[in-house]
Amino acid sequence: MGDVFQITVSSNFAELWRYNIAVVAACFDAEHNQLEVVAERSHLADVGANVAVAEKAWMARHKMALKTPACESIESIIYLIPHTLPTVRLIEDTEPFEIRIVVRRGSTTLHDALHKVNQWSGASIELKF
């Protein structure tokens, strides 16, 4: 029944460490009955922690992936939640940064796009396939 979906989130943004990242996917059968919910997250610090510098192991987490069990379709949300705000204090001086989201179903790429993320508020990105 169905295929395995893989969602990959990556970025070259040097200060990505200021964000906790969560990827959640609900998996459905051919009749759109929910089979399972799977999640993956990268949690560096609690919101408001105001971490001064990235921890040494952070570089290993600048790319993350989530695989689903075999299913017919998915509904996914990718959250980027800032735990540490930018050091620049003027909003207009902090440009949005980009993350790349790739969604594959089996060996077929369904989505490969850059998404803008506001440095102050983070992002919630919904994808359905």
Side-chain angles (χ1 to χ4, degrees):
M1 164 179 76
D3 293 304
V4 171
F5 288 79
Q6 180 171 321
I7 303 167
T8 305
V9 178
S10 62
S11 178
N12 291 326
F13 181 53
E15 295 183 18
L16 187 65
W17 61 268
R18 293 192 290 112
Y19 300 83
N20 293 323
I21 303 170
V23 181
V24 181
C27 308
F28 299 91
D29 65 16
E31 289 79 38
H32 205 67
N33 296 309
Q34 185 172 315
L35 302 172
E36 191 169 345
V37 174
V38 292
E40 186 70 39
R41 71 182 191 141
S42 172
H43 181 88
L44 183 76
D46 291 337
V47 172
N50 292 323
V51 177
V53 294
E55 65 178 26
K56 292 178 184 178
W58 173 81
M59 284 305 289
R61 291 195 297 251
H62 73 285
K63 180 177 181 179
M64 62 184 301
L66 169 78
K67 285 188 178 180
T68 70
C71 57
E72 292 297 325
S73 64
I74 62 168
E75 295 181 9
S76 178
I77 300 179
I78 295 100
Y79 298 102
L80 282 92
I81 304 162
H83 56 72
T84 301
L85 295 176
T87 56
V88 175
R89 292 295 166 213
L90 297 175
I91 293 172
E92 58 269 14
D93 291 341
T94 53
E95 293 290 321
F97 66 93
E98 295 180 327
I99 62 166
R100 167 169 255 120
I101 300 175
V102 178
V103 180
R104 290 189 175 88
R105 179 183 179 146
S107 61
T108 303
T109 300
L110 303 175
H111 182 83
D112 185 349
L114 295 173
H115 296 262
K116 297 277 187 188
V117 177
N118 181 300
Q119 288 193 45
W120 292 87
S121 62
S124 297
I125 301 163
E126 181 180 27
L127 300 170
K128 296 179 181 182
F129 298 97

